[in-house]
Amino acid sequence: DIIPNPSNGIFQVSGQSSEPMQITILDQQGKQVAQFELNALSSDNSFDLSDQAPGVYFAHISQGEQQWVKKLVVR
């Protein structure tokens, strides 16, 4: 899961497995605004969208064979 949501821009990923996670952030128009790769072995499982305008974003997450989309709100 990604917490807190809504956030001031700093999001934390919980429940990470042993595989790295790729996160692509899209705005409401579908334009890519950021991309992150979280290493499964890192103690810091956060990413920063505080440089983006407040609003709704969509995190397209892939980890191994799994893919999912999470709606994020930046205040």
Side-chain angles (χ1 to χ4, degrees):
D1 205 18
I2 300 178
I3 54 173
N5 192 10
S7 163
N8 62 359
I10 308 291
F11 292 93
Q12 183 82 26
V13 177
S14 64
Q16 187 134 321
S17 79
S18 60
E19 296 188 58
M21 180 182 292
Q22 283 78 35
I23 303 173
T24 303
I25 307 296
L26 305 180
D27 65 14
Q28 291 187 71
Q29 286 72 46
K31 185 172 110 240
Q32 181 176 323
V33 296
Q35 188 155 18
F36 304 96
E37 180 160 340
L38 300 184
N39 184 325
L41 302 175
S42 171
S43 59
D44 180 19
N45 293 328
S46 64
F47 59 94
D48 186 352
L49 292 178
S50 60
D51 58 341
Q52 299 296 325
V56 175
Y57 295 87
F58 297 94
H60 290 252
I61 304 157
S62 64
Q63 187 174 35
E65 296 291 310
Q66 294 184 303
Q67 293 191 8
W68 63 99
V69 178
K70 181 96 174 143
K71 183 170 130 182
L72 303 177
V73 178
V74 176
R75 285 189 271 219

